[in-house]
Amino acid sequence: MTIAVGGFGLCGIPHNLIRALRDTGATGLTIVSNNMGVDGKGLGLLLENRQVAKVLGSYVGENKLFAEQYLSGALEVEFVPQGTLAERLRAGGAGIPAFYTPTGVGTPVAEGKPEAEFDGRRAILERGIVADVALVRADTGDAEGNLRYRLTARNFNPLVAMSGRTTIAEVERPSAEYLDPERVDTPGVFVQRWVAVLDGTKDIEQRTVRPRAAANGEAA
C-alpha cells in the first residue's frame, strides 16, 4: 500500500495513527512524507520495525536509520523536491494525473522523466500522487470531517488529506458544532474517518539551549 503521512519533522505528525499502523505489522509499505521523522519517533517507528519498502520524500537529515537503510540498499528512496512533493499531493487530490515543472531539470531528479519546453524553459513531467491511505493530524474537527490545523502544524497535512483514497485524521479537539466554513482548512469531503486523540504530548526535535531570558534579550 501507498500511505501518505502529514507533518514536517515531528511537527503536526499523526503520531497516534503512526503507532497504530506500526501495530498492524503491515509490511512492504510505500510511505509518502516530507521526511521520516527522527530515530525512535514518528515514522522512524516504521523504519525500526522494517515495515517500509520505499519512501517518497524530500529530506532525510534527522533520521540516521533512514540514511543507513537507504545506503545499504534495504530501502528504496525517491527524492522529490519539497515544492514538487507538495504539488504532486495536491494534483493527486484534484484529479490531475501529471504536470510539468522546471524544478529538477538537468539533475538526477529528472532521470527517466519526459521533458518539454515552455517559452524557452525546460520542464519535466511529474505525476500526481494518489495514496491508498492518508494519515493526518488536526487541531479541531467536526462531525462532517471538516478539519482545522494549528499554526505551523498545518504544513503538509491539507495536501496529504487531499491525496488519499481513504483519509484518516486524528483530532485533538472534536467540535460539537460545525466549523465555520470560512475557517475550514480541509473540507470534510476529503476525510473518510477521524478519531479523537487523548494524548496531547508533542515531541520537539531541537530544543533551545539558551535560557529564555537571554534569548529574549538578544531578540530585543
Side-chain angles (χ1 to χ4, degrees):
M1 298 181 74
T2 296
I3 300 181
V5 184
F8 191 105
L10 297 181
C11 178
I13 64 171
H15 55 261
N16 294 281
L17 292 175
I18 292 170
R19 285 198 295 264
L21 176 58
R22 176 201 59 187
D23 293 345
T24 68
T27 59
L29 300 175
T30 294
I31 300 295
V32 181
S33 180
N34 179 65
N35 64 303
M36 291 295 288
V38 302
D39 294 283
K41 295 179 180 179
L43 289 168
L45 298 176
L46 302 183
L47 292 175
E48 288 182 352
N49 220 27
R50 299 282 178 169
Q51 293 174 262
V52 183
K54 180 178 179 179
V55 172
L56 280 74
S58 298
Y59 179 63
V60 302
E62 297 295 334
N63 194 311
K64 293 180 181 178
L65 183 58
F66 185 4
E68 289 172 4
Q69 290 186 7
Y70 168 57
L71 293 173
S72 70
L75 182 66
E76 182 182 353
V77 178
E78 180 181 339
F79 287 106
V80 186
Q82 196 168 85
T84 301
L85 179 63
E87 182 61 11
R88 288 181 67 183
L89 290 164
R90 190 200 69 82
I96 299 170
F99 60 92
Y100 279 98
T101 175
T103 303
V105 168
T107 74
V109 168
E111 292 179 2
K113 296 175 181 175
E115 184 175 310
E117 188 173 297
F118 299 89
D119 300 322
R121 192 177 189 188
R122 295 163 61 196
I124 56 175
L125 187 67
E126 294 281 4
R127 297 193 61 178
I129 294 173
V130 178
D132 297 301
V133 176
L135 306 178
V136 300
R137 182 181 180 99
D139 177 71
T140 311
D142 65 23
E144 291 296 323
N146 298 304
L147 304 178
R148 186 184 302 153
Y149 308 97
R150 184 176 184 274
L151 303 175
T152 57
R154 174 173 176 159
N155 51 65
F156 276 85
N157 278 298
L159 302 170
V160 166
M162 288 180 67
S163 76
R165 291 189 176 95
T166 297
T167 294
I168 308 171
E170 59 178 63
V171 177
E172 289 187 51
R173 298 190 297 172
S175 173
E177 304 292 333
Y178 292 123
L179 299 185
D180 179 351
E182 304 245 346
R183 298 192 60 202
V184 169
D185 297 321
T186 293
V189 68
F190 291 117
V191 180
Q192 283 68 52
R193 304 280 188 277
W194 67 263
V195 58
V197 295
L198 301 178
D199 178 14
T201 302
K202 297 182 178 68
D203 293 310
I204 299 174
E205 288 177 70
Q206 304 289 344
R207 294 183 179 276
T208 56
V209 294
R210 295 175 296 167
R212 179 64 62 184
N216 290 340
E218 289 185 16

